[in-house]
Amino acid sequence: MSISRTNIWRGLACAVLLLVVSASLAANWLAPAGYAKQYREAADASPSRQHWLGTDEIGRDRFARVLYGTRISLLLAPAAALLSTLMAALIGGLAGYLGGGWARCAMAVTDLFLSLPWLFLLITVRAVMPLNVSPMVSVLVTFLMLGLLGWTSAARVLCSTAGSLRDSDFVRQAKASGIPGTRLFWIHVLPNLKPVLYAQFWISIPAFILSEANLGILGLGVAEPMPSWGSLLKELEGLVSVGEEPWKFVPLILLVVVVTSFQLVLSKQDEVAA
């Protein structure tokens, strides 16, 4: 009964993610006016038939900005997660397979990276960029930095897993057959790391989404006028009460729903990895 109920929740989470991704990809059709057009005669307006979530303080349609901001996060966070997972596979997986001094050196570098306050490093890098940087450059830099700095935890897991595979019977048989070490890693070890790689990939996506949101709230995420979940959440700073303008909480609710859905899907990946 519990297993069936769990599968229902996972199916619902997948459906929610599919719906959100589809809506964000259809932003050009659902909000053809775009995220930057200003309706100056309707600045900071309440929801209406023309503006489903009202407008912001300079008259931009909030519904359009939510759609486009969601698309940015849901497309580039997986890209950053893919980059960090590949780096973890090459650094942690290869070091675990080689063992000895290679593994100790790789883990020392990993521990150094883990000890660094990488969120503050992201803030520093973003803060030193020019104020007039183009929105697309800010998007690429933000998620590239997330990918380059977010591989460390996954690398430790992959190093341990690859080390156990190195001592397995099938790897010893492959070595005895005369297969070179590099080919042995790519053909026999790396494919057996796939379940762990999948799990680490799914773990990274919501983490990167939340990291970008944190940077956006601080004003150091995606540059204006391009929207992101962080910049949309920044609008909540001036609210006095929840009931004052409840439609402004839509980005926050959507963020919580998406991250929760990823966690439900992740539970499935954990079972596969196990």
Side-chain angles (χ1 to χ4, degrees):
M1 183 68 178
S2 60
I3 296 178
S4 177
R5 187 174 300 174
T6 302
N7 290 334
I8 291 175
W9 280 109
R10 289 172 184 158
L12 181 61
C14 291
V16 169
L17 289 176
L18 180 61
L19 178 62
V20 173
V21 170
S22 300
S24 65
L25 293 177
N28 294 337
W29 178 71
L30 294 174
Y35 58 82
K37 182 177 179 179
Q38 298 181 15
Y39 300 86
R40 296 187 182 274
E41 72 284 355
D44 203 16
S46 302
S48 62
R49 294 181 61 182
Q50 183 181 4
H51 308 291
W52 293 356
L53 295 178
T55 59
D56 63 11
E57 58 186 9
I58 59 175
R60 296 175 298 190
D61 186 81
R62 190 172 282 112
F63 175 71
R65 293 182 63 78
V66 169
L67 287 177
Y68 282 93
T70 301
R71 182 165 69 180
I72 289 174
S73 293
L74 293 185
L75 289 180
L76 293 181
L82 178 62
L83 174 61
S84 67
T85 303
L86 290 176
M87 291 185 63
L90 292 177
I91 297 175
L94 187 58
Y97 168 70
L98 294 175
W102 291 101
R104 289 192 295 271
C105 180
M107 289 303 97
V109 173
T110 301
D111 291 339
L112 176 62
F113 268 79
L114 285 172
S115 65
L116 294 174
W118 61 275
L119 181 58
F120 292 101
L121 179 60
L122 283 171
I123 294 174
T124 303
V125 172
R126 184 63 185 86
V128 299
M129 293 177 63
L131 294 177
N132 60 347
V133 65
S134 67
M136 188 54 64
V137 171
S138 69
V139 170
L140 294 177
V141 169
T142 298
F143 286 96
L144 182 62
M145 290 295 295
L146 288 174
L148 292 176
L149 296 175
W151 56 270
T152 49
S153 297
R156 294 190 64 86
V157 176
L158 288 165
C159 182
S160 176
T161 306
S164 62
L165 288 174
R166 184 187 67 239
D167 300 326
S168 61
D169 293 336
F170 75 92
V171 170
R172 296 188 181 193
Q173 291 177 359
K175 286 182 179 179
S177 301
I179 299 178
T182 305
R183 180 179 174 81
L184 184 63
F185 174 75
W186 289 103
I187 301 300
H188 292 280
V189 176
L190 194 58
N192 284 280
L193 294 176
K194 283 183 179 180
V196 181
L197 289 172
Y198 288 150
Q200 296 302 318
F201 173 77
W202 281 102
I203 290 173
S204 300
I205 293 176
F208 289 157
I209 290 175
L210 293 174
S211 296
E212 188 283 323
N214 289 330
L215 291 174
I217 292 174
L218 295 173
L220 299 173
V222 178
E224 290 285 351
M226 186 173 288
S228 69
W229 270 335
S231 62
L232 294 171
L233 293 176
K234 189 175 176 62
E235 297 181 4
L236 299 177
E237 291 179 346
L239 287 182
V240 178
S241 64
V242 175
E244 182 180 353
E245 293 175 309
W247 55 87
K248 289 187 177 181
F249 285 87
V250 170
L252 176 60
I253 295 173
L254 186 60
L255 176 62
V256 172
V257 168
V258 168
V259 171
T260 302
S261 298
F262 271 115
Q263 295 299 329
L264 290 173
V265 175
L266 176 61
S267 64
K268 178 66 174 179
Q269 298 300 323
D270 288 339
E271 290 182 3
V272 174

